[in-house]
Amino acid sequence: MGDMLEFNDIYQEVKGSWNDGRLRFSKQNVVYKSNKTGKVDSIPAGELNLAQWRRVCLGHGIKLGTSTGHIYKYDGFRDTDFEKISEFFKVNYKVELSEKDLSVKGWNWGTAKFSGPLLSFDVNDNTAFEVPLSNVSQCATGKNEVTLEFHQNDDTEVSLMEVRFYVPPSQTDERQDPVEAFAQNVLSKADVIQATGDAVCIFKELQCLTPRGR
């Protein structure tokens, strides 16, 4: 076991765009540099407290968590990389690289869980998908529904515009509105677009029917 592991052609998803780069594991830190943007992630080894190995669309991926609450995800590993990365983590980081299965059932009902900067949607205790809350630009509420809108990336051909979550009424705590609680969890970590400046026009009374035809 050497003092360093290095991998080329490792991908990081940024608002729907896959950026390739180089990932290096050393005794002191984890460093990833994007070939496209030049952005560098540097994670001190002493802050690592979570490491998961997952099967993803681009081969296998690693999800790393830190004691400061940050989450990093890198994809593009081969299945044969697991053993040497796992051993390196045990020896140098004292962290176990655990294998984590993702849900591929395709169900649209499950449990939404908030963990730091991520919203995960779990089906039978396996994650179906995760939403980085920093990608959220707006959060709107309705009756038993929360709508998340996302920042767009000009480098992608197809962008996710919004996701709607149905939030069933609470059966235990009638004092707390589950829809508002969900929205507040989102807004606490979201990068919400704020409108600034003076209004061009103000309508004090306006009849509006939405959705159209209802």
Side-chain angles (χ1 to χ4, degrees):
M1 178 64 63
D3 295 338
M4 183 182 301
L5 289 178
E6 197 161 10
F7 299 89
N8 296 315
D9 299 323
I10 299 300
Y11 293 84
Q12 185 180 51
E13 185 270 328
V14 180
K15 297 179 184 176
S17 176
W18 290 101
N19 298 338
D20 67 310
R22 175 177 295 183
L23 182 65
R24 184 181 73 236
F25 299 114
S26 69
K27 290 185 176 181
Q28 293 77 28
N29 53 20
V30 177
V31 176
Y32 176 81
K33 183 175 182 179
S34 170
N35 292 334
K36 182 175 183 179
T37 66
K39 182 176 181 260
V40 176
D41 292 339
S42 182
I43 312 169
E47 292 183 1
L48 285 173
N49 61 5
L50 171 70
Q52 291 181 348
W53 178 265
R54 312 189 296 182
R55 183 66 182 268
V56 293
C57 61
L58 296 177
H60 290 78
I62 285 180
K63 175 182 176 182
L64 301 176
T66 70
S67 57
T68 57
H70 291 88
I71 299 292
Y72 303 87
K73 291 187 285 187
Y74 306 106
D75 297 349
F77 298 95
R78 296 170 297 181
D79 55 355
T80 54
D81 294 329
F82 175 78
E83 292 297 334
K84 59 183 177 183
I85 297 176
S86 177
E87 184 64 23
F88 189 91
F89 274 40
K90 286 181 182 178
V91 173
N92 296 285
Y93 303 152
K94 310 304 180 190
V95 174
E96 180 183 358
L97 181 62
S98 59
E99 296 185 72
K100 178 69 173 178
D101 292 329
L102 300 179
S103 175
V104 293
K105 291 180 178 292
W107 293 0
N108 66 345
W109 66 92
T111 304
K113 296 181 179 179
F114 293 91
S115 177
L118 288 181
L119 162 61
S120 68
F121 188 78
D122 297 356
V123 177
N124 291 347
D125 296 326
N126 287 331
T127 299
F129 63 87
E130 293 176 329
V131 177
L133 294 176
S134 61
N135 289 356
V136 176
S137 62
Q138 295 288 350
C139 179
T141 61
K143 183 179 180 181
N144 301 124
E145 189 175 79
V146 179
T147 302
L148 274 58
E149 297 180 14
F150 299 99
H151 294 284
Q152 301 304 300
N153 189 335
D154 294 336
D155 295 331
T156 61
E157 296 182 0
V158 178
S159 294
L160 177 64
M161 300 297 293
E162 69 174 38
V163 171
R164 295 186 180 186
F165 291 92
Y166 171 75
V167 183
S170 175
Q171 302 296 325
T172 56
D173 189 356
E174 296 181 355
R175 296 170 299 176
Q176 184 179 33
D177 184 354
V179 171
E180 284 299 324
F182 190 106
Q184 288 304 315
N185 280 325
V186 172
L187 292 171
S188 66
K189 299 292 184 180
D191 183 15
V192 176
I193 297 175
Q194 300 288 346
T196 59
D198 297 329
V200 176
C201 182
I202 298 176
F203 296 95
K204 295 185 177 180
E205 294 184 10
L206 177 67
Q207 293 182 348
C208 179
L209 182 63
T210 181
R212 185 176 60 183
R214 180 174 293 181

